[in-house]
Amino acid sequence: MDEQIFFKKLNGLGTSKEIFKFLSSVEVMSDIMAAGALQRISEVEVDDSGLKNPEEVLENEVFRALCFQFEFESSKLSNTGLLNALQALIKLRIDPQSTLIASLLSESEERLGNRQLTVENHCSLGESLLELEGPSCAMLGQIVNHMQEKDVETWSPRELTMVYKILQVMVREGEQYHHLLNRMNSATLTIADQLSPNFTSIILNSLVVLHQTQAVPLVIALCKHSVKHVPYFTDDELVNVLEAFLYFGHREQSFTDALETHVPRSISTMHPETVSKVMQYCCQKKILSKPIFDAVAEVFISDADRFTTNQIAEYIVPFGTLNYLPPSASSLFRKLEMILHTHFSQFQPHTLLNLLHSCVLIQRYPVNFLPKIFSPYFLQQLQAQPPGLDRFVTSQLTQLFLTVTLECPFYEGPKLLPKYQVKAFLTPYCSLDVHLLKRVKAGLLYLLKKRIYFISEVSTPYFYTVDIEIKLDEEGFVLPAAQCEEVHRRIALCVDGRNRFCVNSHNLLGEEAIKQRHLQLLGYEVVQVPFFEIESLKTCRKMAEYLHKKIFPHTYGLGC
């Protein structure tokens, strides 16, 4: 039978029974046709859990006859027939120690040593070896050494992808094959826009694992190209792409837009780990996507009982970090409370602390669980596990304690002992924009005439640092900043640069929102000076006029 007709008929069959019946009717077939039949059987009979009908396949006479010929006539096979058969039999979970696999591997090794294999053959063999023996296989090194001698520019997308995959598992740093990687990166850049979703994902993952931070043009090209593939990525592929965006620090608005369309539509069928990675991406990039967050909240309410404790935290923490309450907030946090009641002891200490801390950022108070958090036993558990009680962890504990002190006066449980409290909070997301502060200080000097009337970056006894503080007496006159007597009002200017907001948004991050809320409760008059209100003010006078209206709205304008 003509090969083309054979494969057309073969690919139309959907069960091993149909395939064996068809093969019985073919009088003569080439080794490539026979290997193709094994590959088709592996496609229809193997799923994630393995071979669906082992006895029906492995005991079939036609199957056994094919295996017999491949085992005892391996030296007569074409390269394609040999390597396709090996690949198919590995997928069919044939015992790696069997004489059949040993015979095919021995023949493959001999041809590899004699340099009889094409680039495509090398890739096919490499794929089989990765599946069979993993990175420890000595033949993989031979394959890569041979590939170094080939002309990379002529490789197909599949061949490039396969070599990236082999290098990824063989040499984590890629140092040994630095020159080959550079050539591959340049060649891949020229065909980046032709890559399938699968190849795009594999190559991005390899670039991450091999720490290819110098391959910026390729990373950017692949990230841009991945936008059109978002609806077609499998869960694992999407996770690889998101990890690449995070690792290389790249941001692509069109990618976020594509996620915003795809995730709400597909979230019911997405694996929880994939959704966790989407939330991690949004959280680290400070992207507040309400469509994604609202969809995640709904899925959490309905499906959270089947999530791991880590996934529960990964779903919830971004809501606090980005300071967002979805429309279903009451149901969302009621569900979270139920889970905490039933699974509290299953959470790792640091995971639990992150989760509860994120809740207070958005005014959801885990009062019922705080006695356990502040208990000596829990604090010992925190200390025993990395990163222990470092400054970031003690900042979270202190902010939890301050929150219940200020916002939950009815709380009567254990307190956080002073030895676990920090002197000043760490605010990694919300550092001060020094350039913006300088411009505001120049405007204040123009307004108040003397530098003694305000002070910047003031440490308070309440763990927070105030960007700028101004003191007023009972009649509303500005006092020297160093004066402590007759202070009737304290004004805290919060100079909020872009880094204190979600990306492309006027939504404050949770860290800054809780700080401003607590400063108010501690008696400060909080005056927010956000970047988007002052960026257009080009002169000191205009800045001073703006600050006058903000700080002293009920007094006359500048007399200058």
Side-chain angles (χ1 to χ4, degrees):
M1 184 183 288
D2 177 72
E3 272 192 15
Q4 202 170 352
I5 297 170
F6 174 86
F7 280 110
K8 189 175 180 181
K9 287 188 175 183
L10 180 67
N11 291 330
L13 304 174
T15 67
S16 59
K17 198 173 182 180
E18 291 173 345
I19 294 169
F20 290 135
K21 186 178 179 182
F22 168 61
L23 294 177
S24 300
S25 69
V26 180
E27 290 184 19
V28 179
M29 66 178 99
S30 67
D31 64 335
I32 292 174
M33 291 159 72
L38 291 177
Q39 285 185 310
R40 184 60 188 156
I41 293 166
S42 72
E43 287 168 9
V44 300
E45 289 294 341
V46 177
D47 58 20
D48 292 339
S49 56
L51 193 55
K52 289 186 270 189
N53 305 298
E55 285 185 20
E56 197 174 298
V57 174
L58 304 181
E59 299 301 321
N60 183 276
E61 287 182 13
V62 176
F63 180 79
R64 290 165 73 89
L66 286 174
C67 290
F68 182 87
Q69 284 193 291
F70 277 113
E71 180 177 346
F72 293 102
E73 297 184 17
S74 57
S75 61
K76 299 176 185 175
L77 301 172
S78 65
N79 286 343
T80 304
L82 170 69
L83 298 169
N84 285 356
L86 178 62
Q87 207 165 46
L89 291 166
I90 290 168
K91 284 180 182 171
L92 286 164
R93 312 292 200 271
I94 301 300
D95 181 5
Q97 306 301 320
S98 67
T99 53
L100 169 60
I101 298 293
S103 174
L104 296 178
L105 276 176
S106 174
E107 183 62 30
S108 301
E109 187 172 16
E110 188 175 329
R111 295 188 194 189
L112 177 65
N114 294 334
R115 299 182 179 272
Q116 294 173 249
L117 303 181
T118 65
V119 171
E120 188 178 351
N121 295 155
H122 278 93
C123 291
S124 184
L125 178 57
E127 197 167 9
S128 295
L129 293 171
L130 284 176
E131 186 79 26
L132 195 64
E133 301 186 43
S136 60
C137 178
M139 265 199 282
L140 283 173
Q142 265 185 288
I143 290 172
V144 177
N145 288 334
H146 288 186
M147 296 299 270
Q148 285 194 100
E149 301 164 9
K150 308 287 183 184
D151 183 6
V152 172
E153 285 70 27
T154 63
W155 294 359
S156 69
R158 179 182 175 276
E159 289 160 356
L160 278 164
T161 303
M162 199 60 240
V163 178
Y164 272 116
K165 204 171 174 182
I166 294 171
L167 286 173
Q168 175 183 333
V169 298
M170 275 189 62
V171 279
R172 289 285 163 176
E173 297 296 329
E175 290 169 6
Q176 191 179 345
Y177 301 102
H178 182 71
H179 181 59
L180 173 61
L181 270 168
N182 284 343
R183 286 162 56 209
M184 287 170 60
N185 292 343
S186 298
T188 307
L189 181 59
T190 64
I191 59 160
D193 60 349
Q194 302 166 33
L195 296 172
S196 68
N198 180 245
F199 290 170
T200 303
S201 168
I202 290 172
I203 293 174
L204 276 171
N205 182 237
S206 297
L207 294 174
V208 169
V209 174
L210 293 164
H211 307 300
Q212 293 296 289
T213 48
Q214 82 287 353
V216 176
L218 175 58
V219 170
I220 292 172
L222 290 172
C223 286
K224 285 186 175 178
H225 177 61
S226 67
V227 173
K228 70 178 185 182
H229 291 322
V230 167
Y232 311 107
F233 284 129
T234 65
D235 278 2
D236 289 341
E237 289 166 359
L238 182 56
V239 166
N240 283 345
V241 174
L242 289 166
E243 284 177 343
F245 269 93
L246 291 168
Y247 179 80
F248 291 108
H250 187 63
R251 181 181 291 140
E252 191 74 44
Q253 184 58 44
S254 55
F255 181 79
T256 303
D257 294 342
L259 276 183
E260 205 161 67
T261 302
H262 172 67
V263 173
R265 190 182 295 160
S266 310
I267 196 166
S268 59
T269 58
M270 290 170 77
H271 192 280
E273 204 58 41
T274 310
V275 180
S276 293
K277 188 59 68 175
V278 170
M279 290 301 274
Q280 184 191 347
Y281 168 82
C282 290
C283 193
Q284 287 192 24
K285 298 284 185 185
K286 301 182 186 177
I287 297 166
L288 176 54
S289 166
K290 292 182 181 179
I292 291 176
F293 277 52
D294 291 350
V296 167
E298 293 296 336
V299 164
F300 187 92
I301 293 163
S302 60
D303 297 344
D305 294 310
R306 63 185 179 89
F307 295 170
T308 65
T309 52
N310 277 342
Q311 287 165 356
I312 288 164
E314 286 158 355
Y315 271 57
I316 298 296
V317 167
F319 285 93
T321 304
L322 303 189
N323 186 29
Y324 177 65
L325 286 171
S328 58
S330 57
S331 300
L332 175 66
F333 287 95
R334 191 160 53 245
K335 181 72 174 184
L336 177 61
E337 187 169 13
M338 287 168 59
I339 287 171
L340 286 171
H341 272 299
T342 53
H343 300 292
F344 188 89
S345 62
Q346 295 171 23
F347 282 84
Q348 290 296 311
H350 288 281
T351 303
L352 189 60
L353 179 60
N354 281 333
L355 179 58
L356 298 185
H357 178 259
S358 71
C359 291
V360 300
L361 297 180
I362 41 178
Q363 296 177 277
R364 289 297 181 270
Y365 310 111
V367 178
N368 295 332
F369 307 103
L370 290 180
K372 292 180 180 177
I373 298 295
F374 296 146
S375 72
Y377 174 69
F378 185 81
L379 294 169
Q380 284 170 7
Q381 283 186 307
L382 278 176
Q383 194 157 19
Q385 294 183 6
L389 287 170
D390 65 7
R391 195 172 161 209
F392 180 75
V393 172
T394 48
S395 280
Q396 288 183 316
L397 285 167
T398 308
Q399 198 160 43
L400 269 176
F401 175 61
L402 183 61
T403 300
V404 292
T405 305
L406 294 176
E407 301 184 61
C408 308
F410 51 85
Y411 173 74
E412 296 179 349
K415 311 293 185 191
L416 183 67
L417 295 175
K419 68 176 181 178
Y420 296 113
Q421 297 176 21
V422 291
K423 291 181 180 177
F425 288 131
L426 272 182
T427 53
Y429 282 107
C430 296
S431 56
L432 186 57
D433 184 329
V434 181
H435 176 68
L436 208 60
L437 178 69
K438 191 176 177 182
R439 290 185 57 215
V440 172
K441 282 162 68 175
L444 273 177
L445 186 59
Y446 192 101
L447 174 65
L448 301 177
K449 307 303 181 193
K450 289 186 179 179
R451 182 68 179 80
I452 62 167
Y453 292 119
F454 62 91
I455 187 169
S456 60
E457 299 180 74
V458 188
S459 295
T460 70
Y462 314 108
F463 319 108
Y464 290 111
T465 300
V466 174
D467 298 339
I468 296 175
E469 183 181 68
I470 298 171
K471 297 174 181 176
L472 305 179
D473 66 13
E474 195 168 357
E475 294 178 11
F477 290 107
V478 179
L479 297 170
Q483 185 170 325
C484 297
E485 299 82 23
E486 300 178 359
V487 178
H488 187 67
R489 292 162 59 199
R490 289 175 185 267
I491 295 173
L493 258 65
C494 294
V495 183
D496 295 330
R498 288 180 183 275
N499 62 321
R500 291 183 177 177
F501 293 86
C502 298
V503 170
N504 301 328
S505 163
H506 295 171
N507 193 78
L508 271 179
L509 295 174
E511 275 182 8
E512 186 62 21
I514 195 173
K515 171 186 170 180
Q516 295 185 18
R517 196 166 74 239
H518 283 178
L519 287 175
Q520 275 188 312
L521 291 168
L522 289 163
Y524 285 91
E525 292 179 33
V526 174
V527 176
Q528 192 185 3
V529 182
F531 74 93
F532 50 83
E533 289 182 0
I534 60 175
E535 275 188 333
S536 61
L537 307 176
K538 301 301 180 188
T539 65
C540 274
R541 181 183 176 87
K542 285 188 175 177
M543 179 69 82
E545 287 171 351
Y546 165 84
L547 291 169
H548 185 274
K549 289 174 188 172
K550 271 276 186 174
I551 305 167
F552 310 108
H554 305 302
T555 60
Y556 290 112
L558 286 172
C560 46

